[in-house]
Amino acid sequence: MQLDHFARRVYEIAGWHAELYINSKDLGELKETIERLTAVSIDHLGLSKDGFPELLSLVEQGVKVKATGFGRIDFDQASAVRTIHELDPEALLFGTDLPSTRVKTPFQASDITLIQETLGEKQAEKVLYKNALKWYRIE
């Protein structure tokens, strides 16, 4: 499979992770491949409620999830953020998804507020920036 080959190669050459823009309802067929990769993140909380259990299974294996693009997903963002955070407090990485040119509800400051109110200030700091510092090996 090309995903396996290219993700491993990019990690070997540059230390980069594979970032997957994939609907979580389609994760089942790729789950074994994703689990074998060194570093993976999945965008937009997985996009779909239908595949959320598959996404959670991957979080248990160390996959990171971007808490971004809230206007793209079809389920309750706060509940998803809370569930993923409870499973692995280092799994969530916040992003704005700007410029969000193909979404009916682009990033809003309330996306940050949602994370703060859902997790509390200390845990929100992890999601909003501390997890990313570690993931991108800045810290």
Side-chain angles (χ1 to χ4, degrees):
M1 168 175 273
Q2 290 186 356
L3 171 61
D4 184 77
H5 171 76
F6 286 116
R8 289 178 186 282
R9 189 72 177 126
V10 166
Y11 187 80
E12 289 169 7
I13 292 172
W16 291 355
H17 67 279
E19 187 166 327
L20 305 179
Y21 182 96
I22 185 171
N23 192 311
S24 59
K25 67 183 179 183
D26 299 324
L27 286 172
E29 62 194 59
L30 294 173
K31 185 177 177 196
E32 289 180 18
T33 300
I34 293 170
E35 288 175 335
R36 289 191 308 263
L37 297 176
T38 306
V40 179
S41 70
I42 296 175
D43 283 342
H44 312 308
L45 298 172
L47 295 169
S48 174
K49 182 179 181 179
D50 291 341
F52 197 65
E54 290 292 335
L55 180 70
L56 295 177
S57 174
L58 289 169
V59 168
E60 290 177 321
Q61 302 299 316
V63 170
K64 306 299 183 198
V65 178
K66 299 285 179 84
T68 183
F70 291 168
R72 297 177 187 271
I73 68 174
D74 71 0
F75 55 102
D76 182 64
Q77 302 97 341
S79 177
V81 164
R82 186 178 308 103
T83 301
I84 293 169
H85 186 268
E86 287 172 358
L87 199 57
D88 181 353
E90 295 184 0
L92 286 168
L93 308 166
F94 179 75
T96 64
D97 194 35
L98 291 173
S100 304
T101 58
R102 295 177 292 154
V103 64
K104 66 180 179 181
T105 308
F107 168 76
Q108 302 172 46
S110 60
D111 295 351
I112 295 171
T113 304
L114 180 142
I115 291 171
Q116 291 169 322
E117 290 177 353
T118 300
L119 301 177
E121 278 303 314
K122 185 172 179 142
Q123 294 306 310
E125 286 179 2
K126 292 183 80 164
V127 174
L128 294 172
Y129 69 95
K130 288 184 177 181
N131 288 347
L133 290 173
K134 185 175 179 181
W135 177 242
Y136 291 106
R137 297 181 305 274
I138 296 170
E139 184 174 77

